[in-house]
Amino acid sequence: MTRSSPTSNFPADRGRAPIPKVSDVPTPHGRFGAFGGRYVPETLCEALNQLGEVYQRVSRDAQFWDELHDLLRTFVGRPTPLYEARRLSEFVRARAGRETARIWLKREDLAHTGAHKINNTMGQALLTLRMGKKRVIAETGAGQHGVATATAAAHFGLACEVYMGAEDVRRQRLNVVRMKMLGARVIEVESGSRTLKDATNQAMRDWMGSSETTHYILGSVVGPHPFPMIVRDFQSIIGRELKAQSLRLLSKLPDTVIACVGGGSNAAGAFYAFIDDPQVRLIGVEAGGRSKSPGDHAAPLSYGTPGILHGSLSYVLQDEQGQTADVHSCSAGLDYPGVGPEHSYWKDAGRVTYTTATDAEALEAFTLLARTEGIVPALESAHAVSHAIRVAADMKPDQNVVVNLSGRGDKDVDEAARLLADAPTPVASL
Ligand SMILES: *Cc1c(COP(=O)(O)O)cnc(C)c1O
């Protein structure tokens, strides 16, 4: 195995647990270049400092990572497979009329609870125990992070309360029921647009008054320092496994790795192990929605400007007064006006390319993957699949594209059926 990258010496799926590498970003103040930082009321600083100190300690504690790694193996079901999507690749080849690249899927959809989010919630729940706290809170939009948090809390016997916008409670009934089954209390937020942004504000407010007994399990690589770093580290297991699997199955690194970007946690997790391998092209796919017009998409890296949202500086969708813009995506998990600061840093550094897939393109990829491979993806992940189809057509047959398939689509079948009923048959050629 090559040692060219500081992370490549960890055999991801056997032996000792991988301790995330200590990199030069973020700085001790949580800066990724100009981005990141900690723009929060004074009352939150103490809780964030404590979290930072505990994390510093455990990041050198092999026992912590061994314990987490063991749980990821026996409870979450890791390592998730790297699977070759042969019929999808064949579809792309036939449509292009020439030899094209091989497409592979990193199967995060097979992780417990159906998405990558559990990698982070198990890690943060273990941190909660290390801090001697007995209660966790979380924000959730579509409910996926709420379910993953409620699952981790049930596993460890922690009290769990999840803030969710009243509008989302109505739209995501199934996940509300799942959280309650798992013993969590779901708190409906009636303020603002009654969606994720408002739930996040409410969770932060709770934490200001409760941080002595409570840990806030944030769901993506966003928010004030040290959250973007901690969530990235917990999700980086995806890329470390992928690297080892590529070397085993392909005898080389993949040429291109593609992931969808909401807050950016599954993408950061998939990309992080490859950041120091410049020959690996990394592409993040945002929600292109209905159009490029403000309010019609959820693509801050593609169409936004630097600003402050939820405690850190990053690309944000905002108007000229700095008011956060409305967003739209067919997938609830991508429907967020901000993005993690490290993605902003990677964008400006030119290390990662960011693009969009529209609702219609994601929906086509959703159907295509279901019919060619027998895998119904999350609508979020379908955005990444859509772009993989696009780039694979321009690549050579000895090249490999990996899509991080962030989640499974059971949660989306009603919405997809409703959208497909209105759309022309998207894959008539099948
Ligand atoms: C939540 C979610 C996302 C978006 O979140 P990131 O932090 O950008 O990964 C993507 N895919 C699935 C399946 C999700 O549940």
Side-chain angles (χ1 to χ4, degrees), residues 28-51:
H29 296 292
R31 290 285 172 182
F32 301 87
F35 300 104
R38 184 182 282 179
Y39 298 84
V40 295
E42 188 101 17
T43 42
L44 268 187
C45 285
E46 203 180 317
L48 292 166
N49 283 334
Q50 187 204 14
L51 177 61

mmCIF file of all heavy atoms in Angstrom, residues 28-51:
data_model
loop_
_atom_site.group_PDB
_atom_site.id
_atom_site.type_symbol
_atom_site.label_atom_id
_atom_site.label_comp_id
_atom_site.label_asym_id
_atom_site.label_seq_id
_atom_site.Cartn_x
_atom_site.Cartn_y
_atom_site.Cartn_z
ATOM 1 N N PRO A 28 -5.999 26.283 14.826
ATOM 2 C CA PRO A 28 -6.567 26.132 16.181
ATOM 3 C C PRO A 28 -7.822 26.973 16.395
ATOM 4 O O PRO A 28 -8.624 26.675 17.274
ATOM 5 C CB PRO A 28 -5.421 26.593 17.084
ATOM 6 C CG PRO A 28 -4.186 26.311 16.293
ATOM 7 C CD PRO A 28 -4.559 26.574 14.866
ATOM 8 N N HIS A 29 -8.013 28.024 15.590
ATOM 9 C CA HIS A 29 -9.230 28.826 15.726
ATOM 10 C C HIS A 29 -10.328 28.382 14.767
ATOM 11 O O HIS A 29 -11.336 29.058 14.616
ATOM 12 C CB HIS A 29 -8.912 30.312 15.528
ATOM 13 C CG HIS A 29 -8.007 30.849 16.585
ATOM 14 N ND1 HIS A 29 -8.405 30.977 17.899
ATOM 15 C CD2 HIS A 29 -6.717 31.244 16.535
ATOM 16 C CE1 HIS A 29 -7.384 31.446 18.618
ATOM 17 N NE2 HIS A 29 -6.350 31.601 17.817
ATOM 18 N N GLY A 30 -10.089 27.263 14.116
ATOM 19 C CA GLY A 30 -11.149 26.722 13.285
ATOM 20 C C GLY A 30 -11.243 27.340 11.911
ATOM 21 O O GLY A 30 -12.295 27.308 11.282
ATOM 22 N N ARG A 31 -10.133 27.898 11.408
ATOM 23 C CA ARG A 31 -10.151 28.511 10.080
ATOM 24 C C ARG A 31 -9.697 27.530 9.006
ATOM 25 O O ARG A 31 -8.662 26.889 9.138
ATOM 26 C CB ARG A 31 -9.208 29.723 10.050
ATOM 27 C CG ARG A 31 -9.720 30.889 10.856
ATOM 28 C CD ARG A 31 -10.831 31.591 10.139
ATOM 29 N NE ARG A 31 -11.437 32.596 10.998
ATOM 30 C CZ ARG A 31 -12.477 33.344 10.630
ATOM 31 N NH1 ARG A 31 -13.019 33.205 9.453
ATOM 32 N NH2 ARG A 31 -12.985 34.211 11.466
ATOM 33 N N PHE A 32 -10.481 27.481 7.949
ATOM 34 C CA PHE A 32 -10.085 26.787 6.720
ATOM 35 C C PHE A 32 -9.793 27.900 5.718
ATOM 36 O O PHE A 32 -10.707 28.398 5.062
ATOM 37 C CB PHE A 32 -11.210 25.901 6.200
ATOM 38 C CG PHE A 32 -11.676 24.839 7.168
ATOM 39 C CD1 PHE A 32 -12.658 25.122 8.113
ATOM 40 C CD2 PHE A 32 -11.150 23.544 7.126
ATOM 41 C CE1 PHE A 32 -13.105 24.144 8.994
ATOM 42 C CE2 PHE A 32 -11.587 22.573 8.012
ATOM 43 C CZ PHE A 32 -12.561 22.865 8.948
ATOM 44 N N GLY A 33 -8.530 28.337 5.624
ATOM 45 C CA GLY A 33 -8.264 29.564 4.878
ATOM 46 C C GLY A 33 -9.043 30.686 5.540
ATOM 47 O O GLY A 33 -8.996 30.856 6.762
ATOM 48 N N ALA A 34 -9.814 31.435 4.743
ATOM 49 C CA ALA A 34 -10.611 32.527 5.309
ATOM 50 C C ALA A 34 -11.899 32.030 5.947
ATOM 51 O O ALA A 34 -12.562 32.759 6.682
ATOM 52 C CB ALA A 34 -10.948 33.530 4.201
ATOM 53 N N PHE A 35 -12.271 30.786 5.677
ATOM 54 C CA PHE A 35 -13.603 30.295 6.053
ATOM 55 C C PHE A 35 -13.616 29.627 7.430
ATOM 56 O O PHE A 35 -12.581 29.357 8.011
ATOM 57 C CB PHE A 35 -14.115 29.321 4.980
ATOM 58 C CG PHE A 35 -14.222 29.963 3.626
ATOM 59 C CD1 PHE A 35 -13.272 29.704 2.634
ATOM 60 C CD2 PHE A 35 -15.244 30.855 3.344
ATOM 61 C CE1 PHE A 35 -13.360 30.314 1.393
ATOM 62 C CE2 PHE A 35 -15.347 31.468 2.102
ATOM 63 C CZ PHE A 35 -14.396 31.193 1.120
ATOM 64 N N GLY A 36 -14.824 29.361 7.913
ATOM 65 C CA GLY A 36 -14.980 28.668 9.190
ATOM 66 C C GLY A 36 -15.096 29.637 10.341
ATOM 67 O O GLY A 36 -15.818 30.628 10.273
ATOM 68 N N GLY A 37 -14.366 29.361 11.410
ATOM 69 C CA GLY A 37 -14.389 30.227 12.580
ATOM 70 C C GLY A 37 -15.546 29.915 13.515
ATOM 71 O O GLY A 37 -16.129 28.825 13.476
ATOM 72 N N ARG A 38 -15.853 30.905 14.346
ATOM 73 C CA ARG A 38 -16.847 30.683 15.410
ATOM 74 C C ARG A 38 -17.596 31.981 15.661
ATOM 75 O O ARG A 38 -17.161 32.807 16.451
ATOM 76 C CB ARG A 38 -16.097 30.221 16.662
ATOM 77 C CG ARG A 38 -16.967 29.860 17.816
ATOM 78 C CD ARG A 38 -16.119 29.477 19.009
ATOM 79 N NE ARG A 38 -15.569 28.131 18.920
ATOM 80 C CZ ARG A 38 -14.773 27.598 19.845
ATOM 81 N NH1 ARG A 38 -14.434 28.297 20.897
ATOM 82 N NH2 ARG A 38 -14.328 26.371 19.708
ATOM 83 N N TYR A 39 -18.683 32.196 14.944
ATOM 84 C CA TYR A 39 -19.475 33.417 15.078
ATOM 85 C C TYR A 39 -20.712 33.112 15.914
ATOM 86 O O TYR A 39 -21.784 32.852 15.374
ATOM 87 C CB TYR A 39 -19.860 33.955 13.699
ATOM 88 C CG TYR A 39 -18.651 34.330 12.856
ATOM 89 C CD1 TYR A 39 -17.976 33.370 12.116
ATOM 90 C CD2 TYR A 39 -18.180 35.642 12.835
ATOM 91 C CE1 TYR A 39 -16.856 33.703 11.364
ATOM 92 C CE2 TYR A 39 -17.065 35.990 12.073
ATOM 93 C CZ TYR A 39 -16.405 35.014 11.342
ATOM 94 O OH TYR A 39 -15.305 35.345 10.603
ATOM 95 N N VAL A 40 -20.521 33.059 17.238
ATOM 96 C CA VAL A 40 -21.613 32.651 18.127
ATOM 97 C C VAL A 40 -21.661 33.562 19.341
ATOM 98 O O VAL A 40 -20.670 34.216 19.680
ATOM 99 C CB VAL A 40 -21.433 31.190 18.617
ATOM 100 C CG1 VAL A 40 -21.531 30.216 17.461
ATOM 101 C CG2 VAL A 40 -20.114 31.010 19.357
ATOM 102 N N PRO A 41 -22.808 33.595 20.025
ATOM 103 C CA PRO A 41 -22.883 34.356 21.275
ATOM 104 C C PRO A 41 -21.893 33.800 22.295
ATOM 105 O O PRO A 41 -21.606 32.595 22.303
ATOM 106 C CB PRO A 41 -24.314 34.132 21.761
ATOM 107 C CG PRO A 41 -25.065 33.558 20.608
ATOM 108 C CD PRO A 41 -24.070 32.928 19.701
ATOM 109 N N GLU A 42 -21.413 34.676 23.144
ATOM 110 C CA GLU A 42 -20.468 34.344 24.210
ATOM 111 C C GLU A 42 -20.867 33.076 24.976
ATOM 112 O O GLU A 42 -20.037 32.234 25.295
ATOM 113 C CB GLU A 42 -20.435 35.550 25.166
ATOM 114 C CG GLU A 42 -19.391 35.499 26.225
ATOM 115 C CD GLU A 42 -18.184 36.363 25.896
ATOM 116 O OE1 GLU A 42 -18.277 37.246 25.018
ATOM 117 O OE2 GLU A 42 -17.147 36.127 26.538
ATOM 118 N N THR A 43 -22.178 32.946 25.245
ATOM 119 C CA THR A 43 -22.656 31.837 26.066
ATOM 120 C C THR A 43 -22.396 30.472 25.445
ATOM 121 O O THR A 43 -22.416 29.463 26.134
ATOM 122 C CB THR A 43 -24.178 31.955 26.316
ATOM 123 O OG1 THR A 43 -24.795 32.359 25.102
ATOM 124 C CG2 THR A 43 -24.492 32.945 27.415
ATOM 125 N N LEU A 44 -22.162 30.432 24.128
ATOM 126 C CA LEU A 44 -21.891 29.132 23.498
ATOM 127 C C LEU A 44 -20.409 28.791 23.491
ATOM 128 O O LEU A 44 -20.032 27.629 23.327
ATOM 129 C CB LEU A 44 -22.403 29.133 22.054
ATOM 130 C CG LEU A 44 -23.824 28.623 21.831
ATOM 131 C CD1 LEU A 44 -24.107 28.517 20.345
ATOM 132 C CD2 LEU A 44 -24.036 27.269 22.503
ATOM 133 N N CYS A 45 -19.571 29.816 23.705
ATOM 134 C CA CYS A 45 -18.130 29.589 23.574
ATOM 135 C C CYS A 45 -17.612 28.555 24.558
ATOM 136 O O CYS A 45 -16.754 27.738 24.237
ATOM 137 C CB CYS A 45 -17.365 30.899 23.726
ATOM 138 S SG CYS A 45 -17.519 31.919 22.255
ATOM 139 N N GLU A 46 -18.172 28.582 25.781
ATOM 140 C CA GLU A 46 -17.679 27.646 26.781
ATOM 141 C C GLU A 46 -17.944 26.195 26.368
ATOM 142 O O GLU A 46 -17.067 25.338 26.462
ATOM 143 C CB GLU A 46 -18.334 27.947 28.128
ATOM 144 C CG GLU A 46 -17.503 27.421 29.284
ATOM 145 C CD GLU A 46 -18.154 27.730 30.626
ATOM 146 O OE1 GLU A 46 -18.637 28.882 30.788
ATOM 147 O OE2 GLU A 46 -18.187 26.846 31.482
ATOM 148 N N ALA A 47 -19.167 25.949 25.884
ATOM 149 C CA ALA A 47 -19.507 24.594 25.437
ATOM 150 C C ALA A 47 -18.635 24.164 24.260
ATOM 151 O O ALA A 47 -18.163 23.031 24.195
ATOM 152 C CB ALA A 47 -20.981 24.530 25.046
ATOM 153 N N LEU A 48 -18.362 25.106 23.342
ATOM 154 C CA LEU A 48 -17.535 24.783 22.178
ATOM 155 C C LEU A 48 -16.088 24.544 22.581
ATOM 156 O O LEU A 48 -15.420 23.652 22.048
ATOM 157 C CB LEU A 48 -17.637 25.909 21.145
ATOM 158 C CG LEU A 48 -19.008 26.049 20.469
ATOM 159 C CD1 LEU A 48 -19.113 27.385 19.734
ATOM 160 C CD2 LEU A 48 -19.270 24.894 19.516
ATOM 161 N N ASN A 49 -15.602 25.341 23.566
ATOM 162 C CA ASN A 49 -14.244 25.129 24.065
ATOM 163 C C ASN A 49 -14.106 23.763 24.715
ATOM 164 O O ASN A 49 -13.128 23.048 24.497
ATOM 165 C CB ASN A 49 -13.865 26.217 25.074
ATOM 166 C CG ASN A 49 -13.507 27.524 24.374
ATOM 167 O OD1 ASN A 49 -13.089 27.519 23.219
ATOM 168 N ND2 ASN A 49 -13.692 28.637 25.076
ATOM 169 N N GLN A 50 -15.100 23.413 25.525
ATOM 170 C CA GLN A 50 -15.059 22.110 26.195
ATOM 171 C C GLN A 50 -15.046 20.979 25.168
ATOM 172 O O GLN A 50 -14.245 20.044 25.255
ATOM 173 C CB GLN A 50 -16.269 21.958 27.123
ATOM 174 C CG GLN A 50 -16.185 20.691 27.970
ATOM 175 C CD GLN A 50 -17.548 20.192 28.452
ATOM 176 O OE1 GLN A 50 -18.592 20.631 27.964
ATOM 177 N NE2 GLN A 50 -17.523 19.276 29.398
ATOM 178 N N LEU A 51 -15.919 21.112 24.166
ATOM 179 C CA LEU A 51 -15.981 20.090 23.113
ATOM 180 C C LEU A 51 -14.641 19.974 22.392
ATOM 181 O O LEU A 51 -14.134 18.872 22.153
ATOM 182 C CB LEU A 51 -17.095 20.452 22.131
ATOM 183 C CG LEU A 51 -17.277 19.535 20.924
ATOM 184 C CD1 LEU A 51 -17.609 18.115 21.368
ATOM 185 C CD2 LEU A 51 -18.373 20.074 20.000
#
